Each structure stands twice: as structure tokens, then as C-alpha cells.
Amino acid sequence: MRAIWNGAVSFGLVNVPVRLYAATTNHDIRFHQVHEVDGGRIRQKRTCSVCGEEVQYSEIAKGYETDDGQLIMLDDDDLSTLPVASGHEIDVVQFVPSDQIDALLLDKSYYLEPESKAVKPYALLREALRETDRMAVVKVALRQRETLALLRVRDEAIVLQTMLWPDEVREPDFETLRTEVDLRPQEQQMAASLVESLSGDFESDQFEDDYRQAMVDLIEYKREHGGGRPAPEPAVAEEGDDMTDLLTALRRSVEAAGGKAPAEEPAAASASSSEETAAEEAPAEEKPKRARSRTKKTEEKTAEKTEEAAAEAPKKSRSKKKADDDEEDPSTAKGRRSKSA
């Protein structure tokens, strides 16, 4: 346990230095909102309902809206004029009977731990409250606000129980409660018998949060049977350039003013536009490079055609020779055949 406040209990001429600890904790299982596809955490952004822009903490002010629709804004200078309670003393106002405290007034509970030199006066106050069956009504400053509280005994510790102010408790204004009901003696006797049959001493250890235990069992079952996966690392947000931020701000301003912002061009069109712009703005000495590049491609194509023509030349030569033989003079061919015979 870690102390969240330190001060002293003061009653009469007795001063008991103490440290304050939270006496309760919330054991609810807390879930994160995640993207079902990849498990990424869902982040909530603070945006203005008027301009739609994301608002940083440094730009947030305190505003109060009145019943007639007026917005009253308070800055740090205004807040500095308010009475701020910053004392470290638990001042006992009076000791009251325990049965006079309405449980509806009770709020949060804290343990008081005595300093090592204040163990005896701490024990003296604890036993005095226990023997007289009383509680101490006190005023204490927590988180720069004065609040009403009680000092009561739980086992061997003194508990500081903060309270609601009386005007914070609402009265039950129900019409049905003002309806007169005729209760017969037999019905009252039967209800009393039922209460008596279910009576017993309260032992908090007998009660358990079944819903939370079922949730823990379900999570453990899914973890053991392959229902878990490594939590994804949050992606690093890319920093937008000033021009992008400016365009976004201008577009939102136009929309807020009732105008229609021009539609964004697709990424491909934007890329081609960038290339065209770069080509137009390129220095003059870069253009010959492109010309040479085109000349080189032309030369490569010419060389390929030359090679194809060279490969086809022998075929054409043989075909031509054969054609020439067929067209040769018949008498010459006849003499050649007789000579070969």
C-alpha cells in the first residue's frame, strides 16, 4: 500500500500524525476497445464539436453553460481566486453516536496509519471511539477541496470515511410512496416470520463475485486453448508536413463556414501530377539525357532488326539458289546429266 496523503488528527490538545491509504479497490476486469481484424487499440481523440479539429490539452479551458444558454469560461487566473484548502490536518468537529449516521452519506474509505511516534495517542483515540460507540465528524482537505468525513473503528485501524454534503443527497420524490396501503396483521406477521427465517450474522467472506470469477475462468480457458495472440505493437504515427496540415485546416474551415471543399485527387493522379510538374521544372541540362536515352533505345531496336535480318539471309540465299537451278536452261541441264552419267 502507498500513502496518498499525510497529516495529523487534531482533537482538543491531542495531535496524532497519520498517513492516509486507500482502503478499497475496484476488482472489475477492464477491457480495451480493439480492432477486431488486427487487435489494434482504439484511441479516442478530443475533437471540437464546432470546427471538428483535434484539441490538445493545452487548448482546453473550463466552461460552464447556464440555464439560459450562456457559456461562462474560466481561466487559471479566475480559478486562482477560489478558496483552496491545502492544510494537512484532520480537524475533529464533534463526536456523534454511530446510529445517527445515515449510510447514504458515506462515500470513500481510507485507512489511517500512525507515525511511529504516535502509536499511543492513535490507540487511545481508537479505543475511545470503540468504547463509547461513537464516530468523529471531521473536516479534511483532500485534493485541494475541503470535505466532510467520519472517523470510525474497523478492527485495529481507524478508518476515515469521506461523506457527501447534505445537499448532495436527493430526496425520493415518488408519487407511489404517498399512496396509502392497508396492511393486515396476518400479512405483517408472515413477512416478519420470513425475515426471521433468513436472519443470520453477516460474514463478508461468505460472499463472492460470481460474475468476475466466471470471466476470469473464461479468459484463462481461451488463453490455454489457443484463443490468445501477441498484442500488436502500436504503429508509429507519421508526422505530416506543414503543407498537409495547412490544407487540412483550410478544408475544415471551408466546411465549417458552410462551403464545399474541393474533393481530394486520388493518390495516382497526384503522383502523376507531381511527375509532370517535376518534368516541367527540371533544369535544361537534364533534357539531353532523356534524348540520349531515347536514341539509345532506337539504336538497340535497329541492332535487333539487323541481327534478325542476318539470321534470315542464309535461308533466303538457299531459296534463291534453288530457284535459280529450277530456272536454268534445259539443254545445259541435259548436258550436265549426260556428263554425270
Side-chain angles (χ1 to χ4, degrees):
M1 300 177 70
R2 184 176 60 181
I4 62 174
W5 184 90
N6 62 80
V9 178
S10 175
F11 61 103
L13 298 178
V14 180
N15 190 277
V16 186
V18 294
R19 289 186 290 266
L20 194 70
Y21 298 84
T24 60
T25 183
N26 191 329
H27 68 180
D28 285 347
I29 297 176
R30 299 183 180 274
F31 293 95
H32 300 299
Q33 289 185 337
V34 296
H35 189 193
E36 186 178 8
V37 176
D38 52 21
R41 292 278 295 274
I42 304 299
R43 301 298 182 186
Q44 302 293 339
K45 294 185 177 181
R46 298 173 300 276
T47 57
C48 177
S49 61
V50 177
C51 63
E53 295 185 1
E54 184 176 357
V55 181
Q56 304 297 326
Y57 274 117
S58 59
E59 300 175 344
I60 296 178
K62 294 184 181 295
Y64 178 80
E65 188 170 346
T66 62
D67 296 336
D68 58 354
Q70 295 293 317
L71 180 64
I72 309 300
M73 299 183 64
L74 302 178
D75 56 20
D76 293 339
D77 294 335
D78 297 324
L79 297 176
S80 64
T81 62
L82 299 177
V84 178
S86 59
H88 287 260
E89 188 171 281
I90 302 174
D91 187 19
V92 176
V93 179
Q94 63 180 152
F95 294 95
V96 299
S98 301
D99 57 2
Q100 292 184 2
I101 302 299
D102 186 357
L104 196 61
L105 290 168
L106 301 181
D107 195 8
K108 296 182 180 180
S109 302
Y110 302 90
Y111 286 127
L112 290 181
E113 180 198 20
E115 299 284 354
S116 57
K117 60 181 180 181
V119 175
K120 185 173 182 178
Y122 181 92
L124 181 63
L125 175 60
R126 179 190 63 207
E127 296 306 320
L129 294 173
R130 196 199 308 271
E131 291 179 6
T132 59
D133 192 22
R134 291 180 179 269
M135 297 182 181
V137 179
V138 303
K139 286 186 177 182
V140 59
L142 295 177
R143 298 181 180 89
Q144 298 185 340
R145 286 197 61 182
E146 186 179 64
T147 184
L148 201 63
L150 289 174
L151 294 184
R152 60 183 182 86
V153 178
R154 185 179 189 273
D155 298 331
E156 300 303 313
I158 297 178
V159 176
L160 184 142
Q161 188 107 35
T162 59
M163 301 174 63
L164 303 174
W165 296 100
D167 60 353
E168 293 180 314
V169 178
R170 303 171 64 182
E171 294 295 331
D173 187 14
F174 306 127
E175 186 65 28
T176 54
L177 297 180
R178 291 187 284 271
T179 304
E180 298 210 3
V181 181
D182 184 17
L183 298 177
R184 294 183 298 175
Q186 296 87 346
E187 294 172 338
Q188 296 184 22
Q189 184 177 1
M190 185 63 67
S193 300
L194 178 60
V195 171
E196 190 63 31
S197 65
L198 295 176
S199 297
D201 295 330
F202 177 76
E203 297 180 7
S204 59
D205 296 340
Q206 296 179 351
F207 301 92
E208 185 178 346
D209 189 347
D210 296 332
Y211 179 85
R212 178 182 181 276
Q213 187 59 45
M215 182 65 71
V216 171
D217 295 340
L218 176 60
I219 293 175
E220 187 64 21
Y221 175 83
K222 291 181 72 67
R223 186 183 69 84
E224 293 179 353
H225 292 78
R229 59 180 176 179
E233 294 291 337
V236 179
E238 297 182 359
E239 296 183 359
D241 56 6
D242 295 338
M243 182 59 66
T244 302
D245 296 340
L246 177 58
L247 290 175
T248 301
L250 290 173
R251 183 177 297 105
R252 290 176 177 173
S253 300
V254 171
E255 293 174 353
K260 185 177 180 182
E264 294 184 2
E265 296 182 357
S270 177
S272 62
S273 176
S274 300
E275 292 178 358
E276 292 174 2
T277 304
E280 293 175 359
E281 296 179 357
E285 57 269 15
E286 292 184 358
K287 293 185 178 179
K289 293 182 179 178
R290 296 188 179 182
R292 287 196 298 271
S293 177
R294 288 195 294 268
T295 303
K296 185 178 181 181
K297 290 183 179 179
T298 304
E299 293 174 356
E300 291 176 356
K301 290 183 179 179
T302 304
E304 290 177 1
K305 291 181 179 179
T306 304
E307 291 176 0
E308 291 177 0
E312 292 178 1
K315 296 180 180 179
K316 292 181 178 179
S317 177
R318 288 192 297 269
S319 299
K320 184 176 181 182
K321 183 178 181 181
K322 183 178 180 181
D324 294 338
D325 292 340
D326 293 340
E327 295 177 1
E328 188 178 12
D329 183 57
S331 58
T332 307
K334 183 177 178 181
R336 187 178 298 170
R337 283 194 298 269
S338 60
K339 192 179 288 186
S340 62

